[in-house]
Amino acid sequence: MKKLISSITILAFTCSVSVKAAPANDGSALPFPEPGQASVTGKTLADSKHQWRVEESRLPKDAPNIVIFMTDDAGFSNPETFGGPVHMPTMDRLAKSGISYNAFHTTAMCSPTRASLLTGRNHHRVAAGQIAELASDWDGYMGKIPKSTATFAQVLSYYGYNTSAFGKWHNTPVTDITKLGPFDRYPTGLGFDYFYGFLAGETSQYEPVLFENTNPVEAPHGPKYHLTEDLAEKAIAWIRTSKTLEPDTPFCVYFTPGAVHGPHHIFKEWADKYDGKFDEGWEALRAMTFEKQKELGWIPQDSVLNPLASTQQKWDEIPKSQHEFQTRLMEIYAGFLEHTDVQYGKIVDEIERQGLLENTLILYINSDNGPSSEGMNGTISELLAQNGMPSTSEQQLETLKESYGGMDALGGPTLDIMYHHGWAYTGASPFQGTKLVAAHLGGTRTPLVISWPAKIKPDGMIRSQFHHVNDIAATLYDILDITPPKTVNGVEQQPLDGTSMAYTFDQPEAATTKKTQYFEVLGSRGIYHEGWFAGTFGPKAPWSTDASGLMNWEPEKEEWELYNLNEDYSQSKNLAKVNPEKLAELKELFDKEATENLVYPIGAAQYTVFFNPSELPSSPLKEWSFYEGQERIPEAMAPKFISGLSTLAVIDAEIPKDAEGVLFALGGISSGFTVYMDKGILKAEYNAMTLNRYKISSEARIAPGKVKIEVETKYDSAERMAPATVTLKVNGKQVGQGRIERSVPSIHTASETFDVGMDLGSPVALEYFDRAPFKFNGKIEKIHISYLD
């Protein structure tokens, strides 16, 4: 059996002693091949009768292939299958051939959900209380999955599965994403034989920042390229290879694309399928969805449709001049979601073509959290909100028209768009909340479809047992008769937090076996226990830039709500004042669970992002020496061209006549800083979140030969969004100067990189968009960049 040699650290043996491996369901340790099985019957080859050793299978004879699909930011009520507006043929197909769950939960946030799903533990227990980019040193928020919580991929791999992961990972520390590693928390270090995708929280669908295993790779540039299609093609190729070379070995595919997380990128023809379907606005769509959900029996008939939150914008508050913009954003999102589902279908079709569908267990998790309201009031530059940079819809529409040609640019490669929070709230019907709200089901609940024709017979009955992503690993172990190992690679393992869902496969109305589950992200928190739910909203609404609630936040004084989910499916009747005893009981239980799972201190998830941004995971360096050809250095490990950090870049180069190409660049099309040459002119551009592009250039061509170029960026102050002066010098002489009127305070992008001599990924400057990566045609000897006092 492959991959088991590495588990020599689990059980010891010597060359002279044969040690029998632990039984598959013993749980004491993972199995490994048994030595000493070949017998010696003679002293020479001529008189020996050799019988080759045969490795014992550790899996049931009918062990299924396993495929896990999980979409990003898709929400509860978008699929047409369950009453929503988006046609999703693969979900339809699998729901009809399998079973569906309407009370399945996530953590309300992407990295935490993925870590919990992969390990079968609660997200703080595996140090994923915040996304990896915003990790801190509190135990529950370090962003490093501990060795004591092995992933299901590690366990299945040791037991004999071929394993692969495709798409978004988002569980590798950002400081590890360099060519130096370490690589133990890349997908291939956590149990997957093969990985193709991206490590960040998001990336462009047209110009993604990709990895194959631990190696950076470049996607082809072209008008027909789309990342989700690429991922599906790679997954199909891997499945074919697995079954061609090892036809008797089951496979496990973890397919979790970045779709439909921002930026919303999809070809025009997919968005056009929904032309005019959302013209009545989000409240009307939410109401129609709610009625359809009840009509289909997806939600109980006595469910209540929660209204918009008081802080949310109503459709009739949107000026008619902006209606086309807002509806087009939703059309793009819907087309993007359908397109994603169709890619899943390609994989299912391939499995069926190979005659494997009957014994393939497919888990289709519709979303890793609730629909995202982080697009605020609809945006052409999604990270404006994360940077706390105020803008108006009028400003965005003006930029869209003047710099990008108007509405046709939406959904394309030059803009990182996201839809209005009203559409996100509609995607959570009938619940309150969206992504990043752990106190309300709109942030945590998502449809789950399971199909396994060999063992699960469709009965048309909705499963309403309360379950969570941490239950997936336990379910896989259960159906494979694997007792979770007590040690993995010599490290004692923490118990699983999840419970198996296998009992629901043939018992649709069985009582829920999961008694208790806590929730917490960004200070929003709650606790489920035996049908009751208590929670408190937290200090900030994710659909608003208003952070005043964080300024004097006192978590212990927050008001808690109480709901009886057995009688109130949509969490619409707050019983806190009616039943204070039950509320007190649940708050005490939350305290117990939070203590055991490393949730405290409440607010730790906000520590780096709001209270101490200087402590964000990043390079400790104050100066760098770069050389030609160095590229794909993550923003966290590179010089930061953000508010208050003045820099001096000194470039030693030899330039030809009419030199062109990028000297260095950080970021991408949505935001960043680039220094380049074009027709002999030295240029710099500070792209401040798409809305403001500040361009500086030399007054004349730079003479060819060896030159020393200096680019000084000097901020007026250390304040957020502080203005700065950029000065260009060649051989000590000033050749150009310009102003940055509004700088970026935190991060330029979520996945773009720092590159020397070229601009990989999406280009920072529109001026060389069609020439990217716009490699420099001279010679760069060295680039030294340092922070100025």
Side-chain angles (χ1 to χ4, degrees):
M1 190 181 305
K2 65 180 188 62
K3 300 184 292 292
L4 298 183
I5 299 301
S6 63
S7 60
I8 192 170
T9 58
I10 299 172
L11 296 177
F13 61 88
T14 68
C15 294
S16 60
V17 179
S18 175
V19 179
K20 187 172 179 59
N25 63 352
D26 177 86
S28 60
L30 295 175
F32 64 94
E34 299 179 19
Q37 292 293 304
S39 59
V40 178
T41 59
K43 294 183 179 181
T44 68
L45 287 176
D47 62 9
S48 293
K49 295 180 180 179
H50 183 79
Q51 182 176 356
W52 291 101
R53 70 197 74 199
V54 177
E55 294 178 9
E56 178 184 348
S57 174
R58 306 293 171 177
L59 293 167
K61 290 183 179 180
D62 59 349
N65 303 303
I66 298 169
V67 176
I68 297 176
F69 295 128
M70 185 166 67
T71 316
D72 201 322
D73 290 2
F76 181 80
S77 60
N78 281 310
E80 185 180 70
T81 310
F82 303 121
V86 182
H87 180 52
M88 298 174 67
T90 307
M91 179 170 279
D92 287 345
R93 173 185 181 182
L94 295 175
K96 289 174 182 175
S97 68
I99 55 179
S100 303
Y101 296 76
N102 70 356
F104 184 78
H105 300 82
T106 67
T107 69
M109 198 180 201
C110 44
S111 282
T113 289
R114 292 159 198 273
S116 182
L117 167 62
L118 287 164
T119 63
R121 280 88 173 182
N122 288 322
H123 55 299
H124 293 86
R125 191 188 298 281
V126 293
Q130 172 60 287
I131 63 173
E133 294 88 340
L134 306 178
S136 63
D137 200 40
W138 302 104
D139 288 344
Y141 302 85
M142 294 177 63
K144 298 179 179 180
I145 295 176
K147 306 297 185 184
S148 60
T149 58
T151 68
F152 68 73
Q154 288 174 290
V155 175
L156 295 188
S157 179
Y158 280 122
Y159 272 85
Y161 271 81
N162 289 334
T163 57
S164 61
F166 300 88
K168 174 176 171 177
W169 180 248
H170 210 194
N171 287 117
T172 298
V174 293
T175 51
D176 292 359
I177 307 176
T178 74
K179 292 181 180 180
L180 297 179
F183 303 109
D184 56 335
R185 288 186 174 89
Y186 281 53
T188 51
L190 289 171
F192 291 102
D193 303 325
Y194 179 81
F195 169 68
Y196 184 81
F198 60 99
L199 300 176
E202 65 175 54
T203 197
S204 169
Q205 293 290 316
Y206 300 113
E207 291 144 332
V209 179
L210 293 177
F211 286 79
E212 185 171 31
N213 299 320
T214 61
N215 300 313
V217 295
E218 296 303 313
H221 285 261
K224 295 186 179 299
Y225 178 85
H226 194 280
L227 173 58
T228 315
E229 294 180 6
D230 186 12
L231 295 172
E233 291 170 4
K234 291 293 193 298
I236 289 169
W238 182 87
I239 290 170
R240 288 174 176 172
T241 299
S242 178
K243 283 304 176 183
T244 296
L245 300 181
E246 298 184 5
D248 296 328
T249 300
F251 61 75
C252 174
V253 175
Y254 176 70
F255 193 89
T256 59
V260 288
H261 193 288
H264 295 165
H265 284 160
I266 194 57
F267 303 124
K268 184 176 183 296
E269 60 267 25
W270 287 86
D272 286 349
K273 291 184 175 189
Y274 294 89
D275 184 25
K277 292 192 175 182
F278 308 118
D279 289 355
E280 295 182 46
W282 39 79
E283 289 110 319
L285 178 60
R286 186 170 165 87
M288 287 189 290
T289 298
F290 176 65
E291 292 304 320
K292 188 68 173 178
Q293 289 172 320
K294 290 201 294 185
E295 179 184 325
L296 293 173
W298 176 239
I299 65 175
Q301 294 301 307
D302 60 357
S303 298
V304 175
L305 178 64
N306 285 283
L308 294 181
S310 60
T311 54
Q312 292 180 324
Q313 195 174 29
K314 297 179 174 59
W315 179 251
D316 61 15
E317 296 172 353
I318 304 293
K320 289 187 178 180
S321 61
Q322 297 177 19
H323 280 192
E324 182 186 3
F325 172 64
Q326 299 292 2
T327 56
R328 187 56 176 173
L329 293 179
M330 180 57 186
E331 290 166 7
I332 290 166
Y333 175 84
F336 192 13
L337 182 55
E338 179 179 342
H339 176 267
T340 304
D341 178 89
V342 168
Q343 307 318 305
Y344 298 163
K346 293 178 182 178
I347 296 171
V348 176
D349 287 345
E350 176 62 27
I351 293 171
E352 185 174 40
R353 269 193 299 271
Q354 294 196 31
L356 304 171
L357 192 58
E358 180 74 10
N359 195 34
T360 296
L361 170 66
I362 301 177
L363 298 100
Y364 190 145
I365 304 170
N366 184 62
S367 188
D368 61 349
N369 42 240
S372 175
S373 56
E374 295 159 294
M376 305 294 172
N377 291 342
T379 183
I380 63 171
S381 181
E382 58 161 338
L383 293 189
L384 278 168
Q386 280 71 14
N387 277 283
M389 299 176 71
S391 65
T392 65
S393 296
E394 289 78 12
Q395 288 174 318
Q396 299 208 30
L397 287 171
E398 182 179 354
T399 301
L400 176 64
K401 180 180 179 181
E402 293 185 356
S403 300
Y404 297 89
M407 294 291 175
D408 283 346
L410 298 176
T414 60
L415 293 169
D416 283 2
I417 69 168
M418 277 194 74
Y419 62 1
H420 191 285
H421 68 257
W423 300 121
Y425 211 70
T426 292
S429 173
F431 307 118
Q432 305 176 65
T434 62
K435 173 185 178 181
L436 306 184
V437 178
H440 291 147
L441 298 177
T444 62
R445 188 165 283 189
T446 187
L448 168 67
V449 171
I450 300 180
S451 174
W452 186 11
K455 294 295 179 70
I456 298 176
K457 304 305 177 186
D459 53 25
M461 298 185 68
I462 303 300
R463 271 68 175 167
S464 295
Q465 294 86 358
F466 192 103
H467 278 286
H468 187 272
V469 291
N470 63 23
D471 298 328
I472 297 298
T475 304
L476 297 179
Y477 298 156
D478 187 6
I479 64 175
L480 295 171
D481 194 26
I482 293 174
T483 299
K486 295 177 182 177
T487 62
V488 175
N489 290 332
V491 179
E492 185 176 349
Q493 296 293 290
Q494 299 182 46
L496 295 185
D497 293 311
T499 60
S500 174
M501 300 171 61
Y503 73 97
T504 66
F505 291 176
D506 57 7
Q507 299 180 68
E509 297 181 304
T512 301
T513 60
K514 194 176 190 73
K515 302 298 183 183
T516 305
Q517 179 62 51
Y518 84 89
F519 298 85
E520 194 278 341
V521 294
L522 299 174
S524 180
R525 55 205 188 274
I527 182 80
Y528 167 85
H529 182 65
E530 296 183 344
W532 288 85
F533 190 99
T536 185
F537 185 84
K540 183 183 179 297
W543 50 82
S544 172
T545 57
D546 181 10
S548 60
L550 281 162
M551 298 301 293
N552 298 300
W553 182 33
E554 297 180 89
E556 67 277 5
K557 294 183 179 180
E558 288 180 293
E559 183 177 347
W560 283 61
E561 301 167 357
L562 176 68
Y563 300 95
N564 183 348
L565 298 184
N566 289 331
E567 300 176 359
D568 179 17
Y569 175 81
S570 57
Q571 209 180 31
S572 64
K573 303 176 182 68
N574 181 6
L575 304 176
K577 294 182 179 179
V578 177
N579 197 339
E581 295 83 6
K582 175 59 72 173
L583 178 60
E585 174 191 331
L586 290 183
K587 288 175 68 175
E588 184 177 349
L589 182 57
F590 176 85
D591 178 67
K592 175 178 177 293
E593 292 290 310
T595 300
E596 292 178 356
N597 284 279
L598 309 176
V599 177
Y600 290 134
I602 296 297
Q606 301 281 8
Y607 180 79
T608 54
V609 66
F610 185 80
F611 295 110
N612 289 280
S614 64
E615 296 185 37
L616 284 166
S618 62
S619 170
L621 299 178
K622 303 295 183 183
E623 59 180 312
W624 296 257
S625 291
F626 296 105
Y627 300 91
E628 188 165 5
Q630 291 183 322
E631 32 81 7
R632 292 289 292 268
I633 299 169
E635 184 173 341
M637 299 301 287
K640 298 180 184 299
F641 295 93
I642 58 174
S643 302
L645 285 177
S646 297
T647 58
L648 175 63
V650 180
I651 306 164
D652 291 310
E654 186 173 344
I655 63 173
K657 182 181 178 181
D658 295 332
E660 67 175 21
V662 173
L663 295 167
F664 71 84
L666 173 76
I669 199 69
S670 62
S671 190
F673 185 59
T674 180
V675 177
Y676 64 102
M677 299 195 73
D678 201 1
K679 297 179 181 178
I681 302 294
L682 176 62
K683 298 187 175 186
E685 180 170 331
Y686 191 97
N687 175 0
M689 288 294 142
T690 303
L691 294 190
N692 302 105
R693 290 178 174 272
Y694 304 103
K695 302 178 182 182
I696 305 96
S697 65
S698 62
E699 297 172 358
R701 285 183 171 89
I702 307 302
K706 289 189 176 183
V707 297
K708 183 181 292 291
I709 298 170
E710 296 175 71
V711 182
E712 182 188 70
T713 306
K714 185 71 173 178
Y715 286 91
D716 294 0
S717 71
E719 294 181 1
R720 289 171 57 84
M721 297 180 283
T725 298
V726 177
T727 303
L728 306 179
K729 293 182 181 180
V730 176
N731 296 329
K733 180 181 177 181
Q734 181 174 314
V735 297
Q737 191 174 73
R739 290 283 286 172
I740 298 170
E741 298 298 339
R742 188 171 83 148
S743 60
V744 173
S746 298
I747 58 170
H748 284 283
T749 73
S751 68
E752 297 280 353
T753 58
F754 180 90
D755 306 306
V756 176
M758 66 192 80
D759 187 353
L760 297 176
S762 65
V764 174
L766 286 171
E767 188 170 324
Y768 59 79
F769 180 84
D770 293 329
R771 293 178 283 174
F774 202 34
K775 189 172 183 179
F776 182 56
N777 66 352
K779 184 177 181 180
I780 298 172
E781 297 289 347
K782 181 180 178 181
I783 299 178
H784 184 268
I785 301 177
S786 59
Y787 292 140
L788 301 175
D789 292 334

